[in-house]
């Protein structure tokens, strides 16, 4: 199989160029994604598609833009205020949940920004159930309150922030009356939240994918950092702690060999001419400032910060414009479930000359593949993790099971798959390590240990943390300061200040469409039993949550003739799916929440059934056209679609 795949890749490269080969990638730590990046940088393709564009990536990139590094998670015993935005950690992050509950018990203030009344919201000092997609307006309203009432850290602003006067002028546009009208929040709640955050220091934001599923993600994250700077919460203990690049381990950026991808090939990256911040133009610009302060490459990697724009890649497959994309390799991802606009993704995958999937299970994506390569499980391979080089820790472990569990299929580890393909395609000198263990020995060499010694003598290493490092080193930005007015965004051709933009599809921007589709559809809320789109194929887990659910306010359901347990159609102008009705009073009456990540492993897999993915996957309903995406980051909207809901007569999910 590897011989045939390598031969086909070589043929496509010779006929169409290396850029005609793409890949899709998902959550890190299920695989060693950085070695996939190494393979493609050596191969010469800039067209990696990564779920990071709507998961974790925007947060890291905007951290670099604003303060020169993404912060280490930093809820400490001294943290006095915690803002949750776009996240429900009591469901999605068990370890974080414990820390937050302890902080609440110590008396820390909680501000929860979420359209739904979550468990975290029930503990909040202030719950802000804003209209979906209006987060930037809310945060800028809070910025305005803090500036007008002079609640900000004047010394930090004067000495270590660039562009305060410009931010002040922009924030003045967000009067309480205007912000309340945009967000549907009472003015007094906005003021209360601003005062609590500004006067309870240190404070820390905990943000999540709820932000990164909005086409206004860049502006929201920029306003979030403006608030952190105003409160003087940057690089202080218990605030937004900036750890910096790891110096005692070979970083992911060094492993991926991005310098081997020529400028000529970088310039061909699909979407980089339009979504410049989350692709090679922005990455190269940010990297200069990061290295200036932190001394080496580190903090994330190009594998998930300088990626091709997924929706643009799938359209290039279909149209051949601006050039043909003929092959794709999918690893640690499932684009038929997790990419927006599922029908378009389906058409694109079907048109490929070569489609390879590396996965444990026959997912809907794998069912469409020419080759499916079963990889070794996480229990069969070692691990060295530095949390994408953003944490102050190095954690390592050896395989818990024999290197190869006897089973029905032959299989290799992810690392071995990429190395074997590389060896067949002339990359021999760049793959000196036969095994992942040897590759980890190389990464840990600066520490003075092999993997085996590290696991048995160290296991987990914590770097000592230093705070207010900027007093000696400045910030890793072009000005050396926190950039309230971003010179990076300005250089890339974007507005250097945060500004709210209404979603392209909403009851405000398209009132005519709202007449037919009167409800706002949000999705992506985590289900505690599943991991993203996985584990529905595990019987013991599936029994805990057997069917997808659509959440409606009881009054809304009643007006639509629906009751708890009914099967309902959820329809947008892009299609319809069906899920089981769940009544929930803790949300606005014009908002609907549908569960994501659904497919039915027990249903037939052969095309066109594909495990029922077209019937229940919420991404069927979502628009990912470049015109509706975040102009800088390329994020496609998943929380602002207009929909209608009605009963499915005589049909079960």
């Amino acid at each position: 199989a590897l011989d045939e795949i390598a031969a086909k890749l070589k043929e496509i490269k010779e006929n169409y160029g290396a850029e005609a080969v793409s890949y899709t990638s998902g959550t890190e730590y299920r695989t060693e994604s950085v070695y996939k990046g190494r393979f493609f940088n050596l191969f010469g393709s800039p067209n990696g598609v990564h779920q990071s564009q709507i998961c974790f990536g925007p947060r890291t990139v905007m951290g670099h833009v604003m303060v020169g590094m993404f912060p280490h998670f930093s809820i400490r015993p001294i943290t006095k205020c915690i803002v949750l935005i776009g996240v429900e950690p009591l469901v999605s992050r068990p370890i974080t949940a414990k820390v937050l509950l302890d902080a609440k018990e110590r008396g820390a203030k909680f501000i929860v920004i979420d359209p739904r009344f979550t468990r975290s919201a029930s503990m909040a000092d202030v719950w802000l159930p804003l209209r979906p997609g209006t987060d930037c307006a809310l945060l800028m309203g809070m910025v305005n309150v803090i500036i007008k009432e002079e609640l900000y850290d004047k010394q930090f602003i004067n000495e270590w922030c660039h562009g305060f006067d410009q931010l002040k002028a922009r924030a003045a546009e967000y009067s309480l009356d205007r912000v309340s009208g945009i967000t549907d929040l009472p003015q007094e709640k906005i003021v209360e939240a601003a005062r609590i955050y500004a006067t309870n220091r240190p404070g820390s934001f905990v943000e999540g994918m709820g932000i990164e599923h909005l086409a206004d993600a860049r502006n929201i994250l920029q306003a979030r950092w403006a608030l952190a700077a105003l409160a003087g919460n940057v690089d202080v203990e218990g605030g937004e702690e900036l750890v910096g690049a790891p110096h005692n381990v070979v970083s992911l950026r060094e492993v991926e060999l991005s310098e081997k991808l020529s400028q000529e090939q970088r310039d061909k990256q699909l979407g980089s001419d339009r979504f410049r911040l989350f692709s090679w133009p922005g990455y190269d610009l940010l990297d200069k400032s990061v290295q200036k302060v932190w001394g080496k490459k580190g903090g994330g990697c190009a594998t998930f910060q300088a990626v091709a724009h997924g929706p643009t890649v799938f359209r290039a497959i279909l149209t051949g414009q601006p050039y043909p994309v003929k092959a794709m390799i999918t690893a640690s991802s499932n684009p038929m479930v997790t990419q927006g606009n599922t029908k378009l993704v389906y058409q694109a995958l079907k048109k490929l000359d070569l489609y390879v999937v590396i996965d444990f299970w026959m997912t809907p994506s794998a069912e469409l593949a020419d080759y499916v390569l079963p990889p070794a499980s996480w229990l069969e391979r070692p691990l060295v993790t530095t949390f994408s080089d953003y944490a102050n820790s190095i954690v390592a472990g050896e395989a818990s099971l024999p290197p190869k569990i006897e089973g029905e299929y032959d299989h290799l580890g992810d690392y071995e798959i990429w190395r074997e393909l590389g060896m067949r395609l002339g990359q021999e000198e760049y793959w000196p390590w036969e095994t992942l263990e040897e590759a980890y020995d190389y990464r840990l060499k600066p520490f003075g240990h092999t993997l085996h010694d590290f696991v048995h003598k160290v296991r987990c290493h914590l770097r000592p943390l230093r705070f207010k490092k900027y007093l000696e080193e400045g910030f890793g930005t072009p000005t050396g300061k926190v950039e309230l007015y971003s010179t990076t965004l300005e250089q890339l051709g974007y507005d250097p200040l945060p500004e709210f933009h209404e979603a392209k599809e909403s009851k405000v921007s398209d009132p005519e469409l709202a007449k037919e589709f009167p409800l706002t559809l949000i999705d992506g809320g985590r289900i505690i039993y599943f991991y993203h789109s996985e584990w529905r194929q595990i019987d013991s887990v599936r029994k805990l949550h057997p069917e997808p659910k659509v959440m409606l306010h009881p009054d809304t359901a009643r007006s639509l003739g629906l009751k708890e347990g009914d099967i309902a159609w959820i329809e947008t102008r892009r299609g319809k799916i069906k899920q089981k009705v769940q009544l929930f009073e803790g949300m606005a009456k014009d908002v609907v929440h549908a569960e994501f990540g659904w497919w039915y492993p027990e249903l037939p897999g052969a095309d066109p059934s594909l495990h029922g993915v077209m019937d229940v996957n919420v991404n069927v309903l979502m628009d990912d056209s470049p015109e509706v995406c975040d102009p800088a980051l390329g994020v496609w909207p998943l929380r602002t679609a207009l929909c209608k809901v009605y009963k499915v007569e005589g049909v079960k999910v």
Side-chain angles (χ1 to χ4, degrees):
L2 291 169
D3 288 343
E4 293 180 12
I5 292 167
K8 291 175 186 290
L9 292 175
K10 182 179 180 181
E11 180 183 358
I12 289 170
K13 181 177 181 178
E14 290 173 348
N15 292 335
Y16 301 99
E19 63 274 13
V21 179
S22 179
Y23 69 83
T24 72
S25 192
T27 307
E28 308 296 321
Y29 310 121
R30 284 183 286 187
T31 178
E32 271 295 347
S33 188
V34 69
Y35 293 102
K36 183 194 312 119
R38 186 184 186 94
F39 170 82
F40 275 94
N41 285 327
L42 293 168
F43 185 79
S45 174
N47 287 325
V49 174
H50 205 296
Q51 290 297 118
S52 62
Q53 204 140 37
I54 57 169
C55 176
F56 190 56
R59 281 172 274 165
T60 65
V61 169
M62 287 307 298
H64 284 271
V65 167
M66 297 295 288
V67 300
M69 183 58 68
F70 180 72
H72 174 59
F73 176 76
S74 51
I75 305 300
R76 305 288 182 188
I78 64 170
T79 303
K80 292 185 172 64
C81 183
I82 301 164
V83 182
L84 303 183
I85 180 168
V87 65
E88 168 48 319
L90 298 189
V91 171
S92 61
R93 303 182 190 175
I95 297 174
T96 304
K98 175 65 166 62
V99 175
L100 292 174
L101 291 171
D102 290 345
K104 183 64 178 176
E105 189 172 326
R106 289 192 300 268
K109 299 292 184 180
F110 268 33
I111 299 170
V112 176
I113 302 170
D114 199 311
R116 297 190 299 163
F117 190 67
T118 60
R119 283 182 61 201
S120 292
S122 71
M123 302 188 304
D125 295 275
V126 182
W127 172 45
L128 299 168
L130 75 177
R131 179 168 66 88
T134 62
D135 305 61
C136 180
L138 167 62
L139 298 180
M140 287 299 287
M142 292 171 63
V143 167
N144 192 30
V145 170
I146 291 171
I147 292 176
K148 287 181 68 175
E149 297 188 4
E150 297 190 7
L151 300 175
Y152 55 91
D153 185 328
K154 294 181 177 62
Q155 182 178 359
F156 184 75
I157 291 294
N158 291 335
E159 297 179 8
W160 291 104
C161 291
H162 172 78
F164 174 72
D165 290 338
Q166 294 97 320
L167 177 68
K168 180 179 179 179
R170 177 63 60 83
E173 300 173 11
Y174 292 86
S175 66
L176 288 171
D177 184 61
R178 182 191 176 201
V179 172
S180 178
I182 292 172
T183 62
D184 294 341
L185 293 171
Q187 294 185 27
E188 59 271 19
K189 286 293 184 182
I190 300 167
V191 173
E192 183 183 8
R195 289 172 178 168
I196 287 176
Y197 178 72
T199 59
N200 290 274
R201 307 174 189 171
S204 182
F205 273 78
V206 178
E207 70 262 86
M209 284 177 284
I211 298 174
E212 298 166 316
H213 292 174
L214 294 169
D216 209 22
R218 187 269 291 183
N219 287 292
I220 298 167
L221 289 162
Q222 198 173 357
R224 161 260 193 271
W225 275 109
L227 280 169
L230 289 173
N233 282 329
V234 182
D235 201 20
V236 297
E237 185 178 6
E240 312 290 351
E241 298 178 1
L242 307 181
V243 175
H247 285 265
N248 51 358
V249 65
V250 176
S251 72
L252 296 176
R253 291 192 179 197
E254 294 169 301
V255 170
E256 68 183 350
L257 295 182
S258 59
E259 68 275 9
K260 296 297 180 181
L261 186 65
S262 70
Q263 188 61 50
E264 179 185 5
Q265 291 305 105
R266 294 184 188 194
D267 291 343
K268 295 177 183 178
Q269 187 176 61
L270 290 167
S272 64
D273 57 334
R274 185 170 188 169
F275 307 104
R276 298 178 292 281
L277 180 57
F278 206 92
S279 55
W280 273 112
Y283 185 87
D284 282 338
L285 195 58
L286 291 170
D287 202 38
K288 295 175 184 177
S289 300
V290 169
Q291 289 198 57
K292 178 181 68 176
V293 167
W294 301 109
K296 66 178 293 187
K297 293 183 177 183
C301 54
T303 307
F304 69 93
Q305 288 179 334
V307 297
H309 186 237
T312 301
V313 170
F314 288 113
R315 283 162 175 77
I317 295 171
L318 288 171
T319 66
Q321 298 298 322
Y323 55 76
V325 175
K326 296 292 186 179
M328 179 174 280
I329 303 178
T330 283
S332 65
S333 66
N334 186 4
M336 278 294 294
V337 176
T338 59
Q339 285 286 326
N341 203 335
T342 309
K343 293 178 182 178
L344 184 143
V345 172
Y346 169 77
Q347 294 168 359
L349 295 180
K350 292 275 287 184
K351 191 176 180 182
L352 289 167
D353 290 354
L354 173 66
Y355 185 41
V356 179
V357 170
I358 303 169
D359 210 321
F360 306 129
W361 294 284
M362 289 299 292
T363 65
S365 302
E367 297 287 359
L368 296 173
D370 301 298
Y371 297 85
V372 180
L373 304 180
S377 75
W378 59 274
L379 285 168
E380 296 174 89
R381 56 177 183 251
L383 174 72
V384 170
T385 178
T386 54
F387 189 62
S388 300
D389 288 349
Y390 286 118
N392 70 320
S393 61
I394 306 172
V395 180
E398 293 180 303
S400 302
L401 295 172
K404 187 174 178 181
I405 301 170
E406 186 176 344
E408 184 176 355
Y409 302 105
D410 185 22
H411 64 288
L412 297 173
D414 301 73
Y415 171 82
E416 285 76 18
I417 290 173
W418 297 114
R419 181 180 185 272
E420 289 294 329
L421 286 174
M423 297 292 281
R424 288 164 170 78
L425 290 165
Q427 302 176 6
E428 294 91 345
E429 66 176 296
Y430 299 105
W431 297 94
W433 320 290
E434 290 189 11
T435 65
L436 184 56
E437 287 86 350
E438 292 176 13
Y440 283 153
D441 287 345
Y442 167 74
R443 285 201 67 196
L444 291 168
K445 189 174 182 179
F447 198 89
H449 282 291
T450 64
L451 172 67
H452 179 81
D453 286 346
F454 187 95
V455 169
H456 292 275
K457 296 178 181 178
V458 182
R459 189 68 170 184
C460 176
H461 170 73
L462 296 177
R463 280 187 285 156
L465 292 174
R466 295 188 299 123
F467 305 107
K468 295 189 176 182
K469 296 178 289 299
Y470 56 84
L471 294 174
E472 300 175 1
E473 304 158 359
F475 289 95
T477 63
T479 61
K481 297 183 176 183
V482 175
E483 295 207 345
L484 304 176
Y485 179 101
S486 173
T487 60
T488 298
L489 291 173
E490 185 176 45
Q491 190 168 340
L492 290 170
Y494 301 112
D495 189 341
L497 294 164
E499 182 173 24
F500 166 70
H501 294 278
E502 184 67 45
K504 296 290 177 62
E505 183 175 301
S506 76
K507 64 181 183 181
V508 174
S509 58
D510 199 340
E512 284 301 311
L513 183 66
K515 292 178 182 177
E516 182 181 358
F517 300 99
L519 303 172
T520 298
L521 174 62
I522 61 176
D523 85 289
R526 289 309 185 241
I527 306 165
I528 198 167
Y529 308 110
F530 301 129
Y531 184 68
H532 299 305
S533 64
E534 291 189 18
W535 299 358
R536 287 160 182 82
Q537 57 273 64
I538 307 299
D539 291 341
S540 59
V541 177
R542 180 70 176 281
K543 288 177 182 178
L544 301 172
H545 196 96
E547 298 169 307
K549 296 179 180 180
V550 56
M551 187 178 287
L552 298 123
H553 191 281
D555 292 349
T556 304
R558 193 176 303 112
S559 69
L560 298 172
L562 294 167
K563 62 182 185 298
E564 182 88 25
D566 281 347
I567 308 302
W569 289 111
I570 313 163
E571 183 176 351
T572 70
R573 57 182 170 179
R574 289 161 290 278
K576 63 181 182 179
I577 62 167
K578 50 184 182 286
Q579 296 191 0
K580 179 176 282 191
V581 172
Q582 179 182 15
L583 303 183
F584 182 60
E585 292 186 355
M587 63 197 309
K589 295 180 182 180
D590 62 349
V591 175
V592 175
H593 177 269
E595 292 180 351
F596 92 112
W598 275 95
W599 55 291
Y600 287 140
E602 68 272 19
L603 292 183
D607 189 17
S609 173
L610 300 177
H611 303 288
V613 69
M614 295 296 190
D615 294 327
V616 291
N617 179 19
V618 73
N619 275 314
V620 169
L621 309 179
M622 298 304 175
D623 188 1
D624 72 337
S625 58
E627 292 72 24
V628 305
C629 294
D630 184 299
L633 294 167
V635 173
W636 49 97
L638 296 170
R639 308 269 176 147
T640 54
L642 293 175
C643 76
K644 58 184 176 183
V645 178
Y646 51 98
K647 189 173 183 178
V648 178
E649 300 292 348
V651 178
K652 294 183 179 180
V653 170

